Structures are given as structure tokens and as C-alpha cells.
């Protein structure tokens, strides 16, 4: 939203000006596009890293489920389910980012950050419970 406001402000500020002013507007527009792309790339990288961590933990839990006793197996299955839900939330945000336009980026970026923060907290709790269970 902030980027769009700046874009509109610059466009109106330079409207009807010289070719040099037109170039400045185009340069500002390109700079905004590059900033948005950089922000998207960073957010996508963070979410992909989180998803990879979740997948690694899922692999670990799945390997332990096969060797677990009945009580442990139920608890590990529950942890596995929680990890799968967390991974699905991250993948949903990655999909939203992929489909986002520059106009919707600010809202999606904030939503993605919130989801990443929430999933990280949940993931840490699951890791702690898993560590306690496996120790």
C-alpha cells in the first residue's frame, strides 16, 4: 500500500513535466518494482526455509513412528499431524505470494510474516515436545 501511494504521488507530481521528469517517474516506478521483488524474494526464502525445517522434522518423526510403542506411536502421530498442518499453512502463504500482484503485496507480506511467526512458535513447541518424547 505504501509503495502504491508513493507511486501515485510521484506520478501526479511529475505529470505534464519535461521528458527528464518522465524519466524520473519511470525510474521511480522501476525502483518500486525492484523493492517489491526483493521483499517477495526474501519472504519466500524465509518461508521455504521454514517449510524445509518442518519437512526435516516430519521425516524424523515418521522414522520414529515405525519403531514406537503404542502409547508413543499415538503421541508421535499427533505431533506429525501438527507438523503437517504447519507445513500446509506455510505452503498456502507461498502460493499467495506467488499469485500476488504489486498492488496486493503489502497486505500479503504482512499476512505472510504473521503466519511465519506463528508457525515458528508452533514449530518450536512441537520440537520441544518431540525432544522430550524421544529422550
Amino acid at each position: 500500500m505504501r509503495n502504491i501511494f508513493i507511486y501515485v504521488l510521484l506520478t501526479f507530481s511529475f505529470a505534464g513535466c519535461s521528458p527528464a521528469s518522465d524519466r524520473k517517474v519511470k525510474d521511480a516506478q522501476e525502483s518500486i518494482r525492484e523493492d517489491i521483488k526483493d521483499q517477495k524474494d526474501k519472504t519466500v526464502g524465509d518461508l521455504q526455509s521454514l517449510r524445509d525445517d518442518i519437512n526435516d522434522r516430519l521425516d524424523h518423526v515418521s522414522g520414529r513412528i515405525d519403531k514406537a510403542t503404542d502409547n508413543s506411536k499415538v503421541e508421535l502421530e499427533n505431533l506429525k499431524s501438527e507438523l503437517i498442518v504447519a507445513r500446509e499453512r506455510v505452503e498456502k502463504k507461498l502460493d499467495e505470494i506467488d499469485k500476488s500482484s504489486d498492488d496486493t503485496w503489502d497486505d500479503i507480506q504482512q499476512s505472510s510474516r504473521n503466519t511465519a511467526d506463528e508457525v515458528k512458535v508452533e514449530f518450536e513447541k512441537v520440537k520441544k515436545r518431540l525432544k522430550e518424547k524421544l529422550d
Side-chain angles (χ1 to χ4, degrees):
M1 198 59 112
R2 180 182 66 244
N3 294 334
I4 296 168
F5 176 73
I6 292 169
Y7 169 75
V8 170
L9 182 64
L10 288 172
T11 301
F12 285 124
S13 296
F14 294 116
C17 296
S18 68
S21 297
D22 289 341
R23 183 72 211 143
K24 287 181 183 178
V25 169
K26 289 180 184 176
D27 289 346
Q29 291 169 339
E30 184 58 33
S31 177
I32 290 168
R33 279 189 215 99
E34 288 175 17
D35 287 346
I36 291 171
K37 183 186 179 315
D38 291 344
Q39 291 170 357
K40 282 183 179 182
D41 290 345
K42 181 183 180 329
T43 304
V44 165
D46 291 345
L47 288 169
Q48 287 173 335
S49 177
L50 179 58
R51 183 192 56 201
D52 292 345
D53 289 345
I54 292 169
N55 282 335
D56 290 344
R57 190 60 55 173
L58 271 168
D59 290 343
H60 183 73
V61 169
S62 294
R64 293 292 191 134
I65 287 174
D66 296 335
K67 302 170 188 169
T69 62
D70 289 341
N71 284 346
S72 296
K73 193 174 228 171
V74 170
E75 291 179 46
L76 289 173
E77 288 286 353
N78 289 338
L79 290 172
K80 182 179 176 180
S81 295
E82 290 179 41
L83 288 169
I84 290 170
V85 168
R87 181 180 61 192
E88 288 170 352
R89 289 181 65 199
V90 170
E91 288 176 345
K92 181 179 176 190
K93 285 300 168 187
L94 285 168
D95 189 48
E96 286 178 13
I97 291 169
D98 186 49
K99 294 177 181 176
S100 71
S101 67
D102 291 351
D103 295 337
T104 61
W105 171 240
D106 281 338
D107 293 334
I108 291 173
Q109 179 185 30
Q110 187 59 50
S111 172
S112 297
R113 285 181 181 165
N114 291 344
T115 298
D117 291 343
E118 291 166 6
V119 169
K120 285 177 186 175
V121 169
E122 292 168 11
F123 183 54
E124 288 303 317
K125 288 177 183 177
V126 169
K127 281 180 17 182
K128 182 179 177 183
R129 288 178 29 222
L130 181 62
K131 185 177 183 325
E132 290 170 358
K133 184 68 192 155
L134 298 178
D135 284 347

